[in-house]
Amino acid sequence: MSATPHPHPEDGPIAKTPRRSKRRIATEEKLIQAVGALLREGGVDALGVNAVDREAGVDKVLIYRYFDGLEGLLTRYSESVDFWPSIDEILGPDREVLADPDPQRVAGRIMANYARAIRSRPVTVQLLAWECNERNALTIAVEDVRERWATQLNEEMLRAGLPLTPQFGVLAALFTSAIHYLAIRSRSIQRFGGVDVGSDAGWDAMIETMERAFGAFYPPDTPSSPS
Amino acid sequence: MSATPHPHPEDGPIAKTPRRSKRRIATEEKLIQAVGALLREGGVDALGVNAVDREAGVDKVLIYRYFDGLEGLLTRYSESVDFWPSIDEILGPDREVLADPDPQRVAGRIMANYARAIRSRPVTVQLLAWECNERNALTIAVEDVRERWATQLNEEMLRAGLPLTPQFGVLAALFTSAIHYLAIRSRSIQRFGGVDVGSDAGWDAMIETMERAFGAFYPPDTPSSPS
DNA sequence: CAAAAAAGTCACCATGCGGTGACTTTTTCC
DNA sequence: GGAAAAAGTCACCGCATGGTGACTTTTTTG
């Protein structure tokens, strides 16, 4: 009682001692990891303040003290995880995919790599699904990242001298959409429109079809390669 | 008032006096309509027992008495609404779309009609979005209807002698997926991958691209039509 | 008209949620 | 060592939810 606070009226330098850290960092990490865990197992509606602290084993009040609420925690989480594949993962470390002279094959490979990258990230798929119904710190973050990512990818392709027609872009957007949708749906259904979305074979067939479809937009001076 | 319907107590067949009706039917209708209204305005998580009765202006206990809970009410609702476009809406009342000799154009028209049909049904789009995250009476119902619908459409196309290769089916599934995804996302974003998913012009461009892509799967005896 | 069954109303419960204030323990710094 | 600030704990609030029992009103039936 009678604990009169006592900010000295005269401390020279600003922000002298940050007065934080040690255990706190560990606790913050626990919270962030808990978000990932819930996102992985539970799903989307399981992610609440109470659920997160339960998972992390810490008190929920810390979520408010450290992150100023769930939104802040989600933002922090979004910065700490690689939702999105790197450009390297799509084009190869040395952009070897772009080295192929056949633009149709290039497009096919990009789609194949993209589909594989998405499918191998359950949390990303979860987020893509969440995006369909809600809009919060996490979905906004993933939107941001994706936009910058797409721009960067586009630049790389332009730099490589790939003949990018507007229709090429539209078709790529359509196939990207399809990949997102089928990755989402494949978690709860096995087939969609006769295609086996639960097996690699089904996805291989889709990729093959995509590649061939790209052929409709390039003059056939390069004969269709054998599959 | 006092318009006693007066079912004679002795008419041959069974089901003497069902002992129900009148106001009840009206109340049931109110509940069902309330589900639609909530689905239309609110969204997905707004749909609970309390919200429904509030919207309908009746007591929630009736949901349990009449429909045995929310699930039952959703099932009833799903039977009372045309989530899905009719085959006529896609192929034309006289299957005129199938009459076109150019299979590429047929495919394009089907996709165009399908996209328009989906986009004009906000509740269906809402349900498609819901499907991405949950599984309940409504989403199962819509899944069922869609499956039967796809089968029927396929039969119609076969009957019309359309050359349906396996790859055609895969490409159709991909474009259908893309339409679903972009219809869902267009509620909260304006552009996707450079395509304007919020305007008819954007969708027209997509349809055009789809039609042209189908051309990659048919021998080019029909020269590509001018855009 | 009167009795029975249905339709509709009201009050209530347990539970889980997001969020906050006040407390105790640990760490930091002089 | 000792004081202050931080980290961490505990109990609590208001609110909305899904769900149920008991009541009153209306309608149907004899």
Side-chain angles (χ1 to χ4, degrees), chain B residues 114-122 125 179 183 186 197-201 203:
Chain B
Y114 185 71
R116 188 176 334 110
I118 294 293
R119 288 216 299 148
S120 70
R121 286 174 170 78
V125 176
I179 289 170
S186 69
V197 295
S199 75
D200 288 343
W203 283 87

Side-chain angles (χ1 to χ4, degrees), chain B residues 168-212:
Chain B
F168 177 94
V170 174
L171 191 60
L174 286 172
F175 285 155
T176 305
S177 301
I179 289 170
H180 287 189
Y181 186 73
L182 293 177
I184 293 169
R185 299 289 291 139
S186 69
R187 300 176 310 167
S188 52
I189 64 177
Q190 186 70 20
R191 306 182 67 81
F192 182 89
V195 180
D196 185 353
V197 295
S199 75
D200 288 343
W203 283 87
D204 287 346
M206 288 192 266
I207 296 300
E208 205 179 326
T209 301
M210 289 188 206
E211 182 173 330
R212 185 159 163 198

Side-chain angles (χ1 to χ4, degrees), chain B:
Chain B
M1 38 198 105
S2 84
T4 2
H6 210 277
H8 346 173
E10 194 212 312
D11 54 339
I14 329 171
K16 203 182 270 189
T17 33
R19 251 332 156 84
R20 84 188 57 165
S21 296
K22 279 293 186 232
R23 270 194 305 169
R24 167 156 178 172
I25 293 179
T27 305
E28 292 186 354
E29 198 56 32
K30 274 191 220 161
L31 266 326
I32 295 172
Q33 293 299 329
V35 171
L38 285 179
L39 226 38
R40 225 165 292 125
E41 3 167 318
V44 63
D45 33 54
L47 207 143
V49 178
N50 295 288
V52 169
D53 68 38
R54 213 175 297 134
E55 174 81 24
V58 309
D59 198 284
K60 65 180 165 185
V61 78
L62 301 181
I63 295 175
Y64 297 97
R65 284 227 273 259
Y66 295 165
F67 304 100
D68 204 38
L70 191 61
E71 292 276 297
L73 174 56
L74 292 183
T75 304
R76 274 285 297 276
Y77 172 75
S78 73
E79 294 162 355
S80 74
V81 177
D82 65 320
F83 290 119
W84 226 246
S86 67
I87 298 285
D88 285 9
E89 197 171 345
I90 305 301
L91 300 180
D94 305 317
R95 306 294 183 266
E96 55 207 48
V97 169
L98 295 176
D100 195 316
D102 181 359
Q104 186 177 347
R105 283 172 72 105
V106 172
R109 287 219 172 279
I110 289 175
M111 285 298 158
N113 290 343
Y114 185 71
R116 188 176 334 110
I118 294 293
R119 288 216 299 148
S120 70
R121 286 174 170 78
V123 177
T124 300
V125 176
Q126 181 65 53
L127 263 294
L128 287 176
W130 204 356
E131 261 185 343
C132 290
N133 283 321
E134 221 167 330
R135 196 177 174 81
N136 56 34
L138 254 189
T139 63
I140 290 175
V142 81
E143 252 176 45
D144 262 27
V145 175
R146 177 172 53 220
E147 187 151 343
R148 271 177 297 158
W149 184 87
T151 304
Q152 197 180 340
L153 182 64
N154 211 42
E155 279 172 9
E156 291 278 357
M157 293 172 71
L158 278 175
R159 193 174 321 165
L162 217 71
L164 294 182
T165 67
Q167 293 229 345
F168 177 94
V170 174
L171 191 60
L174 286 172
F175 285 155
T176 305
S177 301
I179 289 170
H180 287 189
Y181 186 73
L182 293 177
I184 293 169
R185 299 289 291 139
S186 69
R187 300 176 310 167
S188 52
I189 64 177
Q190 186 70 20
R191 306 182 67 81
F192 182 89
V195 180
D196 185 353
V197 295
S199 75
D200 288 343
W203 283 87
D204 287 346
M206 288 192 266
I207 296 300
E208 205 179 326
T209 301
M210 289 188 206
E211 182 173 330
R212 185 159 163 198
F214 276 112
F217 297 91
Y218 290 110
D221 48 271
T222 50
S224 68
S225 56
S227 62

Side-chain angles (χ1 to χ4, degrees), chain A residues 4 19-20 23-24 27 59 61-62 65-66:
Chain A
T4 358
R19 259 323 163 86
R20 84 188 55 164
R23 269 195 305 170
R24 168 159 177 170
T27 306
D59 198 284
V61 78
L62 301 181
R65 283 227 275 259
Y66 295 166

Side-chain angles (χ1 to χ4, degrees), chain A residues 4-28:
Chain A
T4 358
H6 201 278
H8 0 164
E10 192 212 310
D11 55 338
I14 322 165
K16 192 186 277 187
T17 34
R19 259 323 163 86
R20 84 188 55 164
S21 291
K22 278 295 185 237
R23 269 195 305 170
R24 168 159 177 170
I25 294 180
T27 306
E28 291 187 354

